[in-house]
Amino acid sequence: MVRIDEIEIRGTLTPDRPMADLSWLRVGGPAQYLFQPADADDLAAFLAALPHNIPVLPIGVCSNLIIRDGGIRGVVIRLGRGFNGIELLEGNRVRAGAGALDAHVARRAATAGIDLAFLRTIPGAIGGAAKMNAGCYGTYLADVFESATAITRDGHRVTLGRDDMHFEYRSTQIPEGMVITDVTLCGTAGDPAGIEAKMADALDKREKTQPTKDRSCGSTFRNPAGFSSTGRDDDVHDLKAWKVIDDAGMRGATLGGAQMSEMHSNFMINAGGATAADLENLGEMVRKKVFNTAGITLQWEIMRVGEPLK
Ligand SMILES: Cc1cc2nc3c(=O)[nH]c(=O)nc-3n(C[C@H](O)[C@H](O)[C@H](O)COP(=O)(O)OP(=O)(O)OC[C@H]3O[C@@H](n4cnc5c(N)ncnc54)[C@H](O)[C@@H]3O)c2cc1C
């Protein structure tokens, strides 16, 4: 069997790579290997040669991940510069590399009068947005998705249509180890200045209601209602995660360096020196409290990956 460090690559393969500095929450142990492919061909050849028993985890910018303190076994794949392209296509369509930041895609699209404004305030990259069916203020990635290109775990390039994605609220069902390499989105036509104003408004709304300067992963739990906040004044709060967390008295609750934000109770933050275990255990405490007070089982929106510290 070929050894992982004998596979010919053009990108970089780093053994035992600490992950905390790559993650929004600044926690987590090392990846056994971190692979940053040069381009899609490099990634496909690497995956084809990689022994099947080695697990593969694609990541974006880790804005929705708690990486556990014991680190990640196998290969973590991070798409860098070779996957950042943003191409404007006919018919209000945009093809973005999976490593392109959502905000960059929204801004580039706006210059061409394509409205993908909802992506402006989501801090992830497009691959992560597709995988998570990211969305805010009533619009989801699924609403603008046309197709995606991906590399399967055994190194084959495939095209994914809407039916392959199985979009649901904050989730999809693409096979484990499959890496999305680019996504084609179709926005609505709009006037660039109007789209800019919409994005500025969304940024302003975030600043006022969410702890955007703290280290977080956005919403910790999915809304039990099964959809995200619309951002409208007539929004109903009964089945919002933040509301049931408030009702359970957990706004501001702490465990070690982890805290449920005082500003937005469904945002869990690293208030200073938190471990992944602090964050995950605080989340479990919140779930228990909410179940005891409201009979609701909150579902994690933040993905937890890797192994706890032994
Ligand atoms: C301040 C803040 C606000 C946020 N607000 C929102 C919001 O309004 N709406 C919302 O939906 N989310 C929000 N989030 C959460 C997060 O930004 C989104 O889930 C985002 O889409 C994750 O993208 P990422 O690139 O960081 O993915 P990561 O966190 O790195 O990964 C998330 C998942 O996607 C998978 N993945 C990543 N890239 C690929 C790829 N190329 N191929 C296959 N799988 C891949 C990973 O394996 C993992 O399962 C917020 C986060 C923060 C910190």
Side-chain angles (χ1 to χ4, degrees), residues 58 60-64 123 125 128-129 131 134-135 170 180 206 216-218 303:
V61 295
C62 302
S63 64
N64 200 47
K131 164 77 183 185
R170 292 291 190 270
I180 297 169
R206 288 260 185 188
S216 81
C217 266
M303 328 266 303

Side-chain angles (χ1 to χ4, degrees), residues 25 57 62-68 128 131-132 170-172 217 219-220 222 280 300-306:
L25 284 165
L57 177 75
C62 302
S63 64
N64 200 47
L65 289 180
I66 293 177
I67 298 168
R68 295 193 177 103
K131 164 77 183 185
M132 294 303 304
R170 292 291 190 270
S171 74
T172 53
C217 266
S219 297
T220 307
R222 298 173 193 183
E280 192 167 9
W300 282 92
E301 180 167 324
I302 301 177
M303 328 266 303
R304 285 95 53 236
V305 295

Side-chain angles (χ1 to χ4, degrees), residues 92 103 105-121 187-203:
N92 300 317
V105 174
R107 285 163 60 191
R108 183 75 195 286
T111 60
I114 303 171
D115 188 345
L116 292 172
F118 78 101
L119 287 172
R120 175 64 186 87
T121 59
T188 46
D191 144 56
I195 303 170
E196 283 291 346
K198 201 163 151 184
M199 295 194 296
D201 188 49
L203 281 170

